[in-house]
Amino acid sequence: VWSAWENSRIASIGALKLLADGTGEIKSMRTHPDFVGRGVGAIILKTIIAAASSRSIRRLSLETGSGSSFAAAFALYQKYGFRKGEAYSTHIQTEFNHFLHLDLK
């Protein structure tokens, strides 16, 4: 789990879960509304990608919601190379979620 802070205020968090098949899952990516658009979510995401790469994880996956309230998160993940794909692990596809994947080298 990683967090970004400004003084005593938490700005953003994110976590990496190692999956049994050698892949990783990004969990709990959140940015406090006061910090949206200031780049702290990108810092957390880049930190998680670097940590996964250093652990020789071959792919990162995540589940995110659909609709306008998730548009900024979806755009951030796409900016860093995540692409839409199939459900993974124990997740189930519904009309309310998307699955994104990033192959690591």
Side-chain angles (χ1 to χ4, degrees):
V1 176
W2 292 269
S3 58
W5 295 74
E6 181 177 84
N7 300 316
S8 63
R9 297 183 65 211
I10 191 160
S12 188
I13 62 166
L16 172 62
K17 178 180 179 181
L18 303 177
L19 302 177
D21 66 355
T23 64
E25 179 178 14
I26 294 179
K27 303 291 289 182
S28 302
M29 282 281 300
R30 301 281 187 275
T31 297
H32 187 281
D34 291 349
F35 295 92
V36 170
R38 294 177 52 188
V40 292
I43 290 169
I44 296 293
L45 182 59
K46 289 189 288 188
T47 300
I48 293 171
I49 292 169
S53 293
S54 74
R55 293 179 171 114
S56 299
I57 292 172
R58 58 183 174 81
R59 185 180 73 180
L60 277 176
S61 298
L62 62 94
E63 176 187 23
T64 191
S66 60
S68 61
S69 61
F70 294 94
F74 196 81
L76 174 68
Y77 298 131
Q78 286 188 308
K79 178 179 178 180
Y80 285 91
F82 285 83
R83 298 293 173 246
K84 221 173 154 181
E86 300 295 319
Y88 63 96
S89 186
T90 59
H91 296 289
I92 298 170
Q93 180 73 56
T94 72
E95 63 185 276
F96 303 108
N97 60 3
H98 296 289
F99 298 97
L100 303 173
H101 308 281
L102 175 67
D103 290 325
L104 302 173
K105 296 181 175 159

